[in-house]
Amino acid sequence: MGNFNSVLTLQKMVFDRIEFDRKGFKNTNELKFGLQVQIGLDKNDTYKVTLVLNGTKQDEYNMEISLSGFFKVEEQEKLDDKMVQDLINKNAVAILMPYLRSELTLLTAQPDTDSVVLPPFNINKMFGN
Amino acid sequence: MKEFVKLDKYGQLYIDRVLFESYFPVIFTCVNDKKDIFIGVCCQNNEKGCKWLLGKTNGISIVRMLRDEITIRQLLLECSSGKISVDYVQNRYIVAYDNSDWDEKSPYLPKEDSYMYAEDGEFEEEINYFSSMEYYVHYNGECYKPIAEAMGTINKGIEPMADALAVFASAIGNISISSEVVSTLRVFGELCTNFAANTGKYSNEEQYKLVFNSTFSVSPKDLGMELGSEDDNYINAA
């Protein structure tokens, strides 16, 4: 059997913040979300990738979900910078996105609230091909 | 530490800990200058020469082997990378990667049931040592130097602007991603309409006079249930 190990390894993953702030009863106002991606690097070559999803449904609720994943790229010295950048910017974000999506659905699966499912994201387009 | 062999891929290896030995180290660990950890197994030592199988691994996997959670074979095949084969013949080292020595039926690999079979406390010092070798992952964001950031808004009906994103090389900019709200609870709401109370406008707590406010402290023992060997256990559990 071949070796399918990835050079990109996920060390830890945690939710930093899960907030739901009720403003009013269910309405038909438009739902707006903002997605923020923050990537940091520490001295041990560990990347911290944080996805922050802010949502507002006017007069009904505000919500925020922050999710952080800690990644390491094995044998980084053998990879060119662009490949490492793509692994973190694209693959790491793509790995975290389903967990963020699932948590949003769980958070909005409440009485008198429409449950929300984020669509699939084209991560390549988010960060440029 | 004693020098072992110099590998073109991983540099100079030094013998770190000997986990099992006879007249020579049989199962041992190595480190290189970058503090990468390697597991080494001597699978041949006779007139034909010496042969070692080495794999790049980590402290956690070695601890698992020392605790007999995995076999030595599993550590080499499943919990290490590199598949390094080192031969010492005629006073020189010959290094190969992922050769036939690593085939599933290779006679050089440890057997299927090759546990360490450690006695209680035999590897306690080594377990503490390898557990401490795992690097610490910082949670505090101040330890991380920002290298990229992206922001975007998600509005229903707005398609991604692919052309604008083409210049998003430094991963900083604005993006728009369409979304859709899925009403998964609509059926439930309709079925219960007749029973729902019309409570009027939702208001914040400030408009309600506080009549009761208390916190409860309950011992976990009070919440638990002990099930004896009785016929009505399931009823009690419900």
Side-chain angles (χ1 to χ4, degrees):
Chain A
M1 179 178 288
N3 182 3
F4 299 109
N5 292 335
S6 169
V7 294
L8 179 67
T9 59
L10 176 61
Q11 304 297 315
K12 289 182 185 293
M13 182 174 62
V14 292
F15 281 96
D16 310 298
R17 179 176 298 169
I18 304 172
E19 287 186 0
F20 185 92
D21 188 14
R22 170 74 63 180
K23 298 299 181 186
F25 290 128
K26 177 177 167 181
N27 57 45
T28 56
N29 289 340
E30 188 179 8
L31 176 61
K32 293 183 181 180
F33 285 109
L35 177 65
Q36 186 177 17
V37 180
Q38 300 168 341
I39 301 174
L41 175 66
D42 78 346
K43 59 182 180 181
N44 294 325
D45 291 335
T46 298
Y47 292 89
K48 181 180 180 183
V49 180
T50 300
L51 304 185
V52 183
L53 183 71
N54 295 288
T56 298
K57 194 175 183 189
Q58 195 169 4
D59 297 327
E60 185 174 334
Y61 63 79
N62 295 329
M63 54 72 57
E64 179 176 323
I65 300 175
S66 177
L67 169 66
S68 288
F70 299 83
F71 295 86
K72 201 163 175 70
V73 180
E74 302 289 340
E75 300 182 345
Q76 190 169 340
E77 64 282 354
K78 299 180 181 179
L79 305 173
D80 56 55
D81 291 343
K82 185 181 184 311
M83 180 170 288
V84 174
Q85 186 180 15
D86 283 347
L87 279 174
I88 296 299
N89 288 3
K90 299 176 183 178
N91 292 58
V93 173
I95 289 170
L96 295 178
M97 204 62 81
Y99 295 94
L100 185 73
R101 180 180 293 112
S102 171
E103 192 63 31
L104 173 64
T105 303
L106 289 172
L107 186 60
T108 53
Q110 303 181 27
D112 205 52
T113 308
D114 284 333
S115 186
V116 178
V117 179
L118 287 177
F121 294 123
N122 189 330
I123 305 295
N124 278 324
K125 287 185 177 179
M126 284 176 64
F127 286 91
N129 292 321
Chain B
M1 286 182 285
K2 182 181 176 182
E3 288 185 357
F4 177 31
V5 61
K6 187 172 183 178
L7 305 174
D8 55 344
K9 281 188 178 182
Y10 302 103
Q12 177 67 51
L13 297 190
Y14 307 89
I15 294 180
D16 184 24
R17 292 278 175 136
V18 178
L19 304 175
F20 181 74
E21 62 182 339
S22 175
Y23 299 105
F24 49 88
V26 179
I27 303 173
F28 54 95
T29 63
C30 298
V31 294
N32 60 6
D33 293 321
K34 290 176 64 179
K35 304 300 179 188
D36 297 324
I37 304 173
F38 298 80
I39 182 68
V41 177
C42 180
C43 47
Q44 178 179 292
N45 190 327
N46 52 30
E47 65 276 4
K48 295 180 182 179
C50 298
K51 182 189 287 288
W52 299 272
L53 297 181
L54 301 168
K56 182 174 179 290
T57 183
N58 55 44
I60 293 177
S61 298
I62 294 178
V63 169
R64 291 182 65 198
M65 180 192 70
L66 294 177
R67 287 177 171 159
D68 284 337
E69 293 174 12
I70 58 174
T71 64
I72 305 167
R73 182 185 179 93
Q74 285 177 302
L75 176 60
L76 284 173
L77 290 179
E78 300 170 15
C79 302
S80 70
S81 63
K83 291 189 175 179
I84 308 157
S85 181
V86 179
D87 286 276
Y88 187 72
V89 179
Q90 295 178 350
N91 295 324
R92 69 188 190 97
Y93 290 102
I94 303 172
V95 179
Y97 299 92
D98 198 12
N99 61 4
S100 59
D101 294 341
W102 289 85
D103 290 345
E104 189 176 337
K105 296 185 178 179
S106 166
Y108 299 110
L109 281 173
K111 297 292 184 290
E112 295 279 349
D113 59 348
S114 57
Y115 288 96
M116 291 295 288
Y117 291 115
E119 296 178 357
D120 291 340
E122 180 178 354
F123 291 114
E124 183 176 349
E125 183 184 337
E126 285 79 5
I127 288 173
N128 291 335
Y129 172 72
F130 288 111
S131 297
S132 67
M133 286 186 81
E134 287 301 300
Y135 60 87
Y136 180 70
V137 179
H138 295 276
Y139 175 75
N140 190 347
E142 294 175 353
C143 298
Y144 294 87
K145 169 188 161 187
I147 60 173
E149 189 176 63
M151 295 174 61
T153 57
I154 305 171
N155 294 315
K156 186 176 179 181
I158 298 177
E159 297 299 324
M161 296 176 288
D163 291 339
L165 295 169
V167 295
F168 203 52
S170 61
I172 295 177
N174 290 322
I175 53 174
S176 295
I177 304 166
S178 62
S179 70
E180 183 176 349
V181 172
V182 176
S183 298
T184 59
L185 298 180
R186 179 169 296 165
V187 174
F188 178 82
E190 289 175 349
L191 289 174
C192 295
T193 297
N194 294 333
F195 302 95
N198 294 321
T199 55
K201 188 176 179 181
Y202 178 90
S203 301
N204 290 332
E205 286 185 356
E206 291 79 12
Q207 298 188 15
Y208 292 88
K209 175 185 173 184
L210 184 64
V211 294
F212 181 81
N213 184 13
S214 178
T215 56
F216 298 90
S217 174
V218 181
S219 161
K221 187 175 60 177
D222 297 332
L223 295 175
M225 257 179 57
E226 289 185 9
L227 295 180
S229 55
E230 303 169 357
D231 292 337
D232 58 350
N233 277 347
Y234 292 109
I235 298 174
N236 287 337

